[in-house]
Amino acid sequence: MTPHRRIDEASPVRIALLGCGTVGSAVARLLTEQAEDLRVRAGRRLELVGIAVRDTTRERPGIDSSLLTDDPLALVTAEEVDLVVELIGGIEPARELVLAALDRGASVVTANKALLATHGAKIFETAERNGRDVYFEAAVAGAIPIIRPLRESLVGDEITSIIGIVNGTTNYILDKMHSDKQTFESALTEAQELGYAEADPTADVAGHDAAAKAAILAGLAFHCRVRAEEVFCEGITEVTPEDIAAAESMDSVMKLLAICQVNPEDETVAVRVHPTMVPRKHPLASVDGAYNAIFIESQSAGRLMFYGPGAGGSPTASAVMGDLVTVARNLVRGATGPGESSYRGLAVADAGAIRTAYHIRLQVADVAGTLESVAACFARNHVSVRAVRQEAQGAVGEAVELVIVTHVARTQDLDAAVAELRLLDQVTGPVRPMRVEG
């Protein structure tokens, strides 16, 4: 274990910043503009000693150019650095730099959900071995304080489920598809024009961003390790105006949800991200625009909801600064905060074993025996039907839309039932299943 540089009453906490984009530049400016307040809150002066960037010649208003370097490894392993703030994103070189900083003896603050969801075990093991902190409030839901409540406030409780809207881009798109009756493509274009979506929006609209956040939340809530690749993930690219209309006919709205639950029957953790019909009476249904919200259920505290801006330079910088001050306080006291808690070792449930209710739309010929054949498909595959509705009455033999709502069923059973439905002679059009929660 590398000993800390002694932080006596006259010594500042020295900070290295990796990345100077929207969030990084906001953090750098806050360290300068609020220097005196931060000194009082942290118990020592916070001194920014270097900023690693790709291009040191680029103009960065409000940033001292003498702090810039294009050698991040030299910066994070410098003897005088006490705390490294990683805001470059991605897996490499972030992984290498964070591990090097921890091994050198610096604590780390990061907003990198992809890194933690992929290599969190190694990072936390390295931090524990070296007696250092890893804080990551900004990795999930921007300014919303959710990581610390899970690591500290609720650590004495038994959390049973987490359901959240954790990606502002997809929430904005789906909200526009409801409120303005836009198509996915037009809503995405508007989100890009407003800066809510990247030029390449794949990570958001395909669900990968939300899946990484879900992995982090599940690991914290259920004290186990969950990797991003273990999360069932389905994005919103296939959501149509017809799906939106179907949700509204059920007095529901469509949301991309991250859902983390423990299955008490086999002690597995089900972690999934997918478009979902949410009843309007559920608190998450009213979360609009680019906002995020996370709904927690626990045995003792009951139901809790955290709501706020989930992205953007200032909100994310706020979460980073909160972690930065907390870690600085720990350094001054010679202490560390909570590390990884993975003692339960729960397995992640196979995608086919995930249980939820479904809303299924299908076109069928309006002839005798059709409903009986459809019901038999569900019965053979152990899917219990809750309600059936025929959308319109046509002439005998014409195609009509049938809507079926199921009770909670296993994904593999529902998939088998849908596969059978598509082979029926009476089914004349696409079979469209959508998940229902809440």
Side-chain angles (χ1 to χ4, degrees):
M1 181 186 296
T2 305
H4 277 303
R5 179 182 64 83
R6 180 177 174 80
I7 302 178
D8 57 35
E9 292 185 4
S11 299
V13 175
R14 295 177 178 171
I15 299 163
L17 178 60
L18 303 180
C20 197
T22 303
V23 178
S25 58
V27 169
R29 283 192 289 271
L30 287 169
L31 283 169
T32 301
E33 294 168 3
Q34 299 184 9
E36 181 56 26
D37 284 341
L38 292 171
R39 181 192 66 78
V40 175
R41 295 171 194 170
R44 294 289 186 279
R45 184 166 60 88
L46 305 182
E47 180 183 350
L48 183 59
V49 297
I51 307 173
V53 295
R54 286 195 184 94
D55 181 6
T56 59
T57 64
R58 196 179 114 200
E59 186 93 9
R60 292 178 171 82
I63 304 298
D64 183 355
S65 61
S66 68
L67 295 174
L68 302 180
T69 176
D70 58 7
D71 189 348
L73 186 59
L75 178 62
V76 302
T77 55
E79 185 176 349
E80 70 272 16
V81 170
D82 304 300
L83 171 57
V84 172
V85 180
E86 185 274 305
L87 299 173
I88 56 178
I91 303 300
E92 295 293 357
R95 184 192 66 86
E96 175 192 8
L97 295 171
V98 165
L99 292 175
L102 292 168
D103 277 329
R104 162 63 194 83
S107 289
V108 169
V109 170
T110 179
N112 196 331
K113 67 258 180 187
L115 177 63
L116 293 172
T118 306
H119 296 289
K122 176 66 174 176
I123 289 168
F124 289 115
E125 286 170 0
T126 305
E128 183 175 3
R129 184 176 69 248
N130 289 285
R132 303 300 180 250
D133 274 327
V134 176
Y135 273 63
F136 50 99
E137 187 66 66
V140 178
I144 301 174
I146 185 63
I147 301 300
R148 199 161 299 158
L150 289 174
R151 290 178 100 184
E152 300 179 27
S153 306
L154 296 172
V155 73
D157 204 342
E158 187 78 12
I159 295 173
T160 55
S161 74
I162 295 179
I163 303 177
I165 297 167
V166 294
N167 183 273
T169 300
T170 53
N171 200 56
Y172 180 86
I173 291 169
L174 293 173
D175 185 36
K176 285 297 177 180
M177 292 179 74
H178 274 285
S179 61
D180 296 348
K181 307 308 176 191
Q182 295 188 33
T183 63
F184 167 78
E185 291 78 12
S186 65
L188 171 59
T189 298
E190 184 174 310
Q192 289 171 319
E193 291 171 350
L194 293 171
Y196 294 142
E198 302 287 344
D200 179 1
T202 304
D204 292 322
V205 299
H208 304 314
D209 174 84
K213 295 170 181 175
I216 293 170
L217 292 173
L220 290 171
F222 307 130
H223 306 281
C224 61
R225 288 175 176 170
V226 179
R227 300 188 307 276
E229 58 266 29
E230 295 177 299
V231 178
F232 174 84
C233 182
E234 183 182 304
I236 67 167
T237 55
E238 301 300 318
V239 175
T240 66
E242 291 74 23
D243 295 327
I244 298 295
E248 291 175 348
S249 74
M250 295 276 292
D251 197 26
S252 299
V253 294
M254 194 72 71
K255 297 292 185 183
L256 183 75
L257 295 186
I259 302 172
C260 314
Q261 296 167 320
V262 171
N263 183 356
E265 295 176 3
D266 59 5
E267 282 292 296
T268 59
V269 177
V271 191
R272 49 196 163 105
V273 168
H274 49 67
T276 311
M277 289 184 180
V278 180
R280 288 190 183 278
K281 64 183 180 181
H282 194 283
L284 290 175
S286 62
V287 178
D288 56 12
Y291 275 72
N292 284 191
I294 298 169
F295 190 78
I296 295 176
E297 292 193 62
S298 68
Q299 287 188 359
S300 299
R303 297 176 174 181
L304 306 168
M305 187 161 130
F306 299 80
Y307 169 84
S314 294
T316 305
S318 170
V320 171
M321 292 300 296
D323 279 350
L324 193 154
V325 170
T326 300
V327 173
R329 287 171 173 170
N330 290 344
L331 288 168
V332 169
R333 299 198 316 267
T336 55
E340 183 189 35
S341 175
S342 58
Y343 71 92
R344 291 181 74 179
L346 301 177
V348 179
D350 179 77
I354 291 172
R355 298 171 61 85
T356 186
Y358 285 85
H359 173 285
I360 301 115
R361 303 195 329 270
L362 63 158
Q363 273 195 338
V364 299
D366 192 7
V367 295
T370 293
L371 189 56
E372 182 180 354
S373 297
V374 168
C377 287
F378 288 103
R380 278 193 296 272
N381 292 285
H382 315 291
V383 178
S384 175
V385 173
R386 178 180 179 184
V388 180
R389 184 175 74 248
Q390 185 172 305
E391 288 297 296
Q393 185 72 45
V396 174
E398 288 186 354
V400 295
E401 185 172 82
L402 202 62
V403 174
I404 296 169
V405 180
T406 76
H407 289 284
V408 171
R410 292 192 305 173
T411 298
Q412 64 190 33
D413 295 334
L414 191 284
D415 289 346
V418 168
E420 279 196 35
L421 287 172
R422 288 172 174 153
L423 296 176
L424 289 180
D425 292 337
Q426 298 99 320
V427 175
T428 61
V431 179
R432 185 73 173 162
M434 297 298 296
R435 295 170 183 84
V436 181
E437 292 288 339

